[in-house]
Amino acid sequence: MNSTRLTSCQSPLYKKFTENYQVSFPVYEQRTSGQQQYAFSRSEYHLDIYTADQEEYIGFLSYWVFDSYIYIEHFAIDAHKRGTGYGKEILSEFLHTCGKTVVLEIDPVVDEISLRRLRFYQSLGFVTNSWKHIHPPYRQGYEGHSLEVISYPNVLSQEEYDQFKEDLSVQVMKE
């Protein structure tokens, strides 16, 4: 498997990314094009596209690298490739090479799909945190939404969670 870092919306792989992004996340969890341009302008932001042989699109991982941790903002595998082990392979490699605490958010467990998602992340070593967490809205006209914070390899301290919340509000969600 290969990874390619995108640095602008002009990349040939950007179209595949947006197609996958738009079907994998509800609109209120998606960046606008202006927000995506902002993210690309930040050195902390990374958007990695994963492909197999002959540039076959597999999925993407978007994340922010901060001093003491990495925040995975979005991660998705192409719908036709889910359940094949690609997601586990990508995240396992990422976790073993990043050298930092990793934070991400998932939907609260309310059904079998959300439970499977939590178990997937737990199988990679993520642990749940007890923080009541509201993710700020990406778009006008939407409210913030409740998400569960999970982290690798340990539970976040109050100080670590507070830093994540501040970075999320001040840097990640800024346009």
Side-chain angles (χ1 to χ4, degrees):
M1 187 168 356
N2 304 306
S3 70
T4 303
R5 172 122 343 122
L6 300 190
T7 57
S8 79
C9 300
Q10 279 63 54
S11 167
L13 289 170
Y14 188 76
K15 184 175 188 275
K16 281 288 195 186
F17 156 72
T18 56
E19 290 168 358
N20 188 194
Y21 185 54
Q22 290 171 349
V23 299
S24 298
F25 296 93
V27 69
Y28 60 85
E29 289 185 9
Q30 296 176 29
R31 289 184 164 280
T32 63
S33 57
Q35 290 167 329
Q36 189 62 52
Q37 292 289 349
Y38 163 76
F40 279 134
S41 77
R42 301 293 303 198
S43 63
E44 300 90 351
Y45 179 75
H46 303 278
L47 174 56
D48 295 343
I49 304 299
Y50 293 86
T51 55
D53 298 332
Q54 283 100 33
E55 299 299 311
E56 177 186 15
Y57 180 85
I58 301 298
F60 73 91
L61 181 66
S62 68
Y63 58 98
W64 295 74
V65 178
F66 295 106
D67 289 340
S68 61
Y69 71 97
I70 294 173
Y71 166 53
I72 295 178
E73 184 177 19
H74 293 101
F75 173 60
I77 300 299
D78 180 87
H80 298 99
K81 310 274 188 310
R82 290 183 189 148
T84 60
Y86 283 122
K88 191 168 196 159
E89 182 181 344
I90 290 167
L91 272 185
S92 182
E93 176 69 19
F94 183 82
L95 295 171
H96 288 88
T97 59
C98 72
K100 292 186 178 196
T101 297
V102 177
V103 178
L104 65 85
E105 303 150 307
I106 60 172
D107 290 322
V109 175
V110 295
D111 57 19
E112 186 60 34
I113 292 171
S114 54
L115 179 60
R116 278 198 317 252
R117 186 173 298 123
L118 173 62
R119 287 185 178 152
F120 166 76
Y121 287 113
Q122 287 174 329
S123 75
L124 292 165
F126 280 90
V127 293
T128 57
N129 288 262
S130 60
W131 312 108
K132 296 275 186 205
H133 180 71
I134 303 295
H135 190 286
Y138 279 94
R139 296 167 182 254
Q140 291 184 354
Y142 290 93
E143 298 292 322
H145 54 285
S146 180
L147 292 174
E148 301 290 327
V149 175
I150 62 176
S151 53
Y152 171 90
N154 301 308
V155 171
L156 301 178
S157 68
Q158 179 73 55
E159 183 178 294
E160 290 169 321
Y161 175 71
D162 290 345
Q163 184 64 58
F164 163 65
K165 254 181 73 172
E166 180 179 334
D167 292 337
L168 180 63
S169 296
V170 174
Q171 295 190 55
V172 174
M173 298 304 294
K174 185 177 176 182
E175 181 177 347

